[in-house]
Amino acid sequence: MPTSMNPHNRNRTFAALAIVVIVAGAAAWQYRSDRASTSAAPSDHAASDADTALVAVPRPATTTAAEVKAAKKPAPIYVLSTPLPPPNAPLTQVYADLKTRADAGDAQAASRLYRDVGRCLHTRDVLANQSRAASWMLEDDTSRLDADQLARRERRLGTIEDELAKARANSGLCEGATPAELQLAPVALRAAQLGDVQAADCYVSAGLTAGGGLLDHPEWLQDYKANALSLANSAVEQGDWTMVNQLQRAYAQSSGAGLLAQVTGGDPSQAYAYLKLRSLGAVTPQGNSFLSRQLADAAQNLPADAVTQGDTWAQNAYQQYFGANPQINTPRGFNPCQNIGAD
Amino acid sequence: MLTPRRLVLALLGLVALSCTVWYVRDPRLHAATATAATSASQPGAGATQPASRLRHAANTHASHESAGAKSVALPEAPEPLAKVYDVLKSRADSGDVDAATRLFHEVHRCVALRQTRRLLAEFHAMFADNPAASSIGIVRGGQRLQFLQPHEMADYVQANAARCDGATDEQLDSFTPLLLQAAQRGDIQALDCYVGTDFDGMEGVLDHPEWIGQYRDAVPGLVESALQRGDWVIVDLLRRDPYSEVYDSSARAQVFGNDPVMDYRLLRLEQLGATDEFAEWLAAKVAGAAKALSPAQLAAAQEWATDYYSRYFNSASNEVAHGTDICQITDD
């Protein structure tokens, strides 16, 4: 918190926060998307193009909307879901049953398990970290703070108190959960495989590390390599702007693109195609203008036919997948693995 | 201001995790464009501090000492990595420590170059038409800040491109095991970098799940050795962000877990080496961390900190007061 940071860092941090505000004001639109919540079986039509040369035609651009629709998809899994446990059932009481049902292909059970585990992770983290943060804030010397700084500090402490109250209310649902039951990666993967787009967003972005367990399960890396790209492509086909952003950053090898960038490899043509798709979902004229400039910059380094094909693919994808969800509305800095299952 | 020859970069893949890139506004344009900035001096302060921000706390780092036997002459320094990689790798695998050290530094240089190019491209794509953008800021782990000057980064790319032309992704993705080797040989900068690396910053890890177990096995010993060499950087790196309200999913946090005793020990140790404002700032953190400990735990942790400080640390910890930059490379 700025009010109590290392004094040497404080100025820079204030500056940084101000800067973030400025940037956010200029470009917040670009991260906005609607987190599609419809469920469908994921397709696996796309394969890794990690070795594609810079001048290669982007894979999306070579695929028309009709071809995308006709692309090979696994047979949908139809499982009649029996009623889920009551919403306030403790995780330890429902974990085994939900896991069994999820493993058998019950999409609702898989999504419920993902959210229950996510909620307990969030509860654990709030209780541990926000309590600590609050205790440290209360130790700070406030004698040198001005009125605005004091007001910000009070607001922050109030927010922490609210978060702690919610976490305490949820703590009974999570009591006794084992570390293995709090591992997010496997439940996120299963829910994503059964069509939960929000679970896919989390799994693809930071699902392997968000809940711990990777140290004991390095095989998750191989699961990720085998599944991440097909899950990402499927999410895009369900109109998921969050995944469009993730794929664009991965193909561009942007900072913070995470493990997905290792799966996709760098591919400027594909990065352009997804950037074009994002531009079609831009909410404001400013956002559109900003992305247009980025597109023009990216196009300068591509052959003309790659640009044309990227434009065509993006138009087709936008019309086919984003008709019900035409505008990006994911907040800037949105973390798909944070606040899972929060009310 | 740094010159290209002294440019130090902290740009490896590990900073990619959870990092946000923004620009620092040119203070000369501040008055004309800022309405949200809290003061004119703050962006300027950030933009004019890359030298101090990027310069490693050199006196915390013992110079690397090659422990190996004398080897035959290494390839000439300006040779491109692609040309010398195989011979250096072969010699390193045969136990030639000088070759291993040289290979690590050459690969490090080219990994930094790759990351620099990516960041520059991102910067230009986002802010090329914004005359107020003069620097790149990176936040890692929500708090640690770095400010990099695009023109310096461009200079670095220009100065090192020839030495990295033709290097393959496979060669560059060998960085993580080379980094571990260098850390285990005693290169303290490599040690800090390795411990601070996050799993999704390990390029190539998807094909090498064994790196996860290696990290878990190696890190505790590396941390202890760094402490016993008086490395303030590792202290600052490992103590948890006092104001972080989110789960620390970093690789090192997964190894050490949620350990209030360790938090207190490290904060107290850092406090013992601090003076002036930094000491005041740490005092509040130490007091907060103490609340999580029993009296017996508190007494033992204080004893540990006092013991380690007196035995291993003979410099002020203020040099990490601005945060810790790791994985830097100095162009030699």
Side-chain angles (χ1 to χ4, degrees):
Chain A
M1 291 300 104
T3 55
S4 47
M5 282 199 61
N6 173 349
H8 299 279
N9 276 342
R10 190 177 300 149
N11 286 344
R12 274 200 311 280
T13 300
F14 277 134
L17 290 174
I19 292 156
V20 169
V21 168
I22 295 164
V23 174
W29 51 268
Q30 67 181 314
Y31 290 99
R32 302 175 65 199
S33 90
D34 185 12
R35 299 168 65 194
S37 58
T38 55
S39 293
S43 75
D44 61 354
H45 69 83
S48 171
D49 286 337
D51 297 327
T52 306
L54 291 184
V55 295
V57 174
R59 183 180 184 85
T62 62
T63 311
T64 67
E67 288 168 339
V68 167
K69 194 172 185 178
K72 175 189 164 192
K73 290 187 178 185
I77 301 169
Y78 297 103
V79 175
L80 289 176
S81 185
T82 54
L84 294 172
N88 292 327
L91 178 64
T92 53
Q93 289 182 17
V94 301
Y95 187 93
D97 178 54
L98 289 174
K99 177 78 164 48
T100 300
R101 289 169 59 173
D103 289 346
D106 184 334
Q108 287 185 31
S111 290
R112 168 67 183 277
L113 184 57
Y114 164 69
R115 278 164 183 76
D116 280 6
V117 170
R119 179 174 59 182
C120 286
L121 279 173
H122 182 67
T123 297
R124 178 197 68 179
D125 300 341
V126 167
L127 291 176
N129 296 319
Q130 300 215 15
S131 293
R132 187 186 68 241
S135 75
W136 266 327
M137 285 181 72
L138 292 170
E139 291 295 330
D140 284 334
D141 177 9
T142 59
S143 61
R144 299 178 196 171
L145 301 183
D146 61 28
D148 286 346
Q149 290 170 328
L150 283 169
R152 280 199 298 273
R153 179 176 183 276
E154 288 306 307
R155 282 197 298 272
R156 186 69 213 123
L157 283 169
T159 302
I160 290 176
E161 182 143 352
D162 291 344
E163 286 287 314
L164 283 170
K166 286 182 193 170
R168 289 189 190 104
N170 282 331
S171 61
L173 307 178
C174 307
E175 198 171 343
T178 65
E181 289 171 339
L182 292 177
Q183 289 172 353
L184 190 63
V187 296
L189 172 59
R190 190 61 185 143
Q193 286 174 322
L194 294 173
D196 187 324
V197 171
Q198 292 176 25
D201 288 339
C202 171
Y203 179 77
V204 169
S205 67
L208 289 195
T209 54
L214 183 59
L215 286 174
D216 296 321
H217 295 282
E219 74 277 9
W220 289 353
L221 293 168
Q222 290 156 317
D223 294 339
Y224 185 92
K225 187 177 179 183
N227 289 285
L229 188 55
S230 62
L231 292 172
N233 287 325
S234 176
V236 170
E237 292 174 15
Q238 295 178 66
D240 180 20
W241 287 111
T242 299
M243 198 64 85
V244 172
N245 189 47
Q246 288 197 57
L247 280 166
Q248 190 265 321
R249 293 178 60 77
Y251 282 119
Q253 300 285 287
S254 299
S255 57
L259 290 174
L260 184 61
Q262 292 192 33
V263 176
T264 62
D267 187 332
S269 297
Q270 299 234 38
Y272 175 86
Y274 281 100
L275 190 62
K276 177 66 178 179
L277 179 55
R278 284 175 56 195
S279 76
L280 298 174
V283 176
T284 65
Q286 294 88 342
N288 202 338
S289 172
F290 184 84
L291 271 181
S292 295
R293 291 193 297 272
Q294 280 200 328
L295 278 169
D297 187 61
Q300 285 182 347
N301 300 315
L302 291 174
D305 61 340
V307 172
T308 301
Q309 289 171 345
D311 289 343
T312 302
W313 175 84
Q315 290 284 358
N316 288 339
Y318 184 71
Q319 289 173 9
Q320 182 164 1
Y321 306 135
F322 294 87
N325 182 26
Q327 291 189 327
I328 301 171
N329 63 1
T330 298
R332 176 176 171 80
F334 171 64
N335 178 353
C337 294
Q338 210 164 26
N339 255 353
I340 300 164
D343 297 330
Chain B
M1 185 64 66
L2 293 174
T3 65
R5 297 296 294 171
R6 290 286 302 151
L7 180 61
V8 183
L9 294 174
L11 296 172
L12 300 189
L14 65 92
V15 302
L17 176 64
S18 302
C19 82
T20 302
V21 177
W22 71 87
Y23 70 90
V24 175
R25 303 174 69 254
D26 187 330
R28 293 168 298 183
L29 300 174
H30 179 269
T33 56
T35 54
T38 52
S39 83
S41 64
Q42 289 160 354
T48 55
Q49 286 191 346
S52 60
R53 294 287 305 133
L54 295 174
R55 189 178 303 119
H56 208 275
N59 56 347
T60 69
H61 285 162
S63 60
H64 172 67
E65 296 174 3
S66 173
K70 292 281 184 184
S71 61
V72 296
L74 295 172
E76 291 293 321
E79 290 285 358
L81 174 64
K83 187 174 177 181
V84 300
Y85 184 92
D86 287 341
V87 64
L88 288 174
K89 182 74 166 54
S90 174
R91 288 171 59 172
D93 289 346
S94 301
D96 183 334
V97 175
D98 289 341
T101 301
R102 169 73 181 282
L103 179 61
F104 163 65
H105 286 295
E106 293 296 336
V107 172
H108 194 176
R109 175 200 316 282
C110 295
V111 169
L113 181 73
R114 178 171 65 179
Q115 188 67 12
T116 304
R117 281 176 162 150
R118 290 174 182 171
L119 278 174
L120 266 179
E122 198 169 355
F123 177 83
H124 288 310
M126 294 183 75
F127 305 120
D129 63 338
N130 187 339
S134 64
S135 302
I136 296 174
I138 296 175
V139 60
R140 181 179 62 235
Q143 185 167 3
R144 301 185 192 284
L145 305 178
Q146 298 169 336
F147 294 90
L148 307 170
Q149 301 288 335
H151 70 89
E152 292 177 338
M153 296 166 69
D155 288 346
Y156 181 81
V157 170
Q158 186 173 18
N160 291 282
R163 290 177 73 167
C164 300
D165 280 351
T168 65
D169 285 345
E170 185 179 17
Q171 290 169 343
L172 299 187
D173 288 351
S174 68
F175 177 68
T176 295
L178 291 171
L179 181 65
L180 173 57
Q181 287 176 11
Q184 289 174 327
R185 284 197 306 272
D187 183 328
I188 196 75
Q189 289 185 345
L191 189 159
D192 293 336
C193 179
Y194 183 78
V195 172
T197 295
D198 282 323
F199 295 134
D200 59 359
M202 294 178 175
E203 299 225 20
V205 71
L206 290 178
D207 293 319
H208 294 281
E210 74 277 10
W211 291 355
I212 304 295
Q214 290 169 358
Y215 182 90
R216 178 175 59 184
D217 294 342
V219 160
L222 291 174
V223 166
E224 182 61 27
S225 73
L227 289 172
Q228 294 188 12
R229 292 170 64 182
D231 180 22
W232 287 118
V233 176
I234 208 75
V235 176
D236 198 66
L237 183 65
L238 286 175
R239 72 161 174 78
R240 289 191 297 174
D241 175 356
Y243 292 97
S244 174
E245 295 160 18
V246 297
Y247 178 73
D248 184 354
S249 59
S250 67
R252 58 192 178 277
Q254 293 195 41
V255 170
F256 292 109
N258 180 3
D259 187 347
V261 172
M262 181 171 164
D263 290 342
Y264 180 87
R265 281 179 168 186
L266 296 175
L267 277 166
R268 177 69 181 141
L269 178 59
E270 201 167 11
Q271 183 193 26
L272 289 173
T275 60
D276 306 323
E277 283 185 305
F278 189 46
E280 287 180 35
W281 179 81
L282 282 167
K285 311 308 146 202
V286 169
K291 290 182 176 178
L293 274 57
S294 68
Q297 287 176 318
L298 193 59
Q302 286 178 334
E303 185 180 352
W304 179 92
T306 303
D307 177 47
Y308 268 59
Y309 181 70
S310 64
R311 281 205 285 167
Y312 305 125
F313 290 82
N314 57 10
S315 62
S317 62
N318 289 35
E319 59 213 23
V320 293
H322 297 287
T324 302
D325 294 334
I326 53 174
C327 293
Q328 301 164 352
I329 183 169
T330 303
D331 190 16
D332 55 7

